[in-house]
Amino acid sequence: MPMFNSSNIELLKQYIYYSNIHDSKVEVLLYNMNEKSLAIKAVNSIFGDKIDFIFDEVKSILFLSNNEQVDHETIISLTVEEDYSLFKFLKNEYYVSKPVYLLFQMLSGDELHIISENVFIDIGNSC
């Protein structure tokens, strides 16, 4: 399972770009407060891919709901963000250490912002 952090952020961008995350459905989202870890399991039924994310040393999770009555599970976009200003109300450590900041955008308009030191991503075949 490849691991990404601030030292290989360009590789993470490429990895996401060539993945089939678009149109995947989130099946599981589990946060462990004691371990500061987050696991997301998604499946892209079009391509038969299973995508597992494990976020290690989670710094912040922000969920923004659009409150639309449409599909809240389908991912339409996953990007690596570099602008931490949305989190300026928190500690300034984000500007110093530059942890990984991923933004999941859903078909419903919902957004899931995750800042963590490391992210592990495993893409396999679900069939």
Side-chain angles (χ1 to χ4, degrees), residues 2-4 7-17:
M3 183 193 79
F4 302 96
S7 67
N8 60 358
I9 205 79
E10 291 303 317
L11 189 59
L12 173 59
K13 289 177 183 178
Q14 284 184 341
Y15 195 80
I16 290 171
Y17 180 80

Side-chain angles (χ1 to χ4, degrees), residues 38-95:
L38 173 71
I40 298 175
K41 296 182 183 291
V43 172
N44 185 317
S45 59
I46 298 166
F47 295 100
D49 287 345
K50 179 182 76 167
I51 304 137
D52 294 326
F53 297 88
I54 298 173
F55 295 88
D56 183 35
E57 297 180 49
V58 173
K59 303 293 185 188
S60 294
I61 301 171
L62 177 64
F63 177 75
L64 302 173
S65 177
N66 194 24
N67 293 322
E68 292 293 324
Q69 296 299 318
V70 294
D71 186 343
H72 294 276
E73 293 89 23
T74 299
I75 300 167
I76 60 167
S77 174
L78 174 60
T79 55
V80 177
E81 299 293 313
E82 296 179 13
D83 180 5
Y84 297 82
S85 62
L86 179 63
F87 296 90
K88 65 184 172 189
F89 59 91
L90 298 171
K91 298 176 186 174
N92 290 333
E93 67 186 66
Y94 302 135
Y95 297 101

Side-chain angles (χ1 to χ4, degrees), residues 21-35:
I21 192 67
H22 187 279
D23 294 325
S24 294
K25 287 197 180 273
V26 174
E27 294 190 330
V28 176
L29 192 146
L30 295 171
Y31 179 63
N32 184 320
M33 289 177 30
N34 293 329
E35 294 182 13

Side-chain angles (χ1 to χ4, degrees), residues 72-126:
H72 294 276
E73 293 89 23
T74 299
I75 300 167
I76 60 167
S77 174
L78 174 60
T79 55
V80 177
E81 299 293 313
E82 296 179 13
D83 180 5
Y84 297 82
S85 62
L86 179 63
F87 296 90
K88 65 184 172 189
F89 59 91
L90 298 171
K91 298 176 186 174
N92 290 333
E93 67 186 66
Y94 302 135
Y95 297 101
V96 177
S97 67
K98 296 286 187 195
V100 176
Y101 175 8
L102 290 183
L103 169 58
F104 291 81
Q105 294 178 312
M106 313 308 275
L107 185 60
S108 62
D110 296 348
E111 293 184 349
L112 179 60
H113 300 255
I114 303 167
I115 296 179
S116 68
E117 287 298 322
N118 304 299
V119 60
F120 300 84
I121 304 174
D122 185 33
I123 300 175
N125 193 295
S126 64

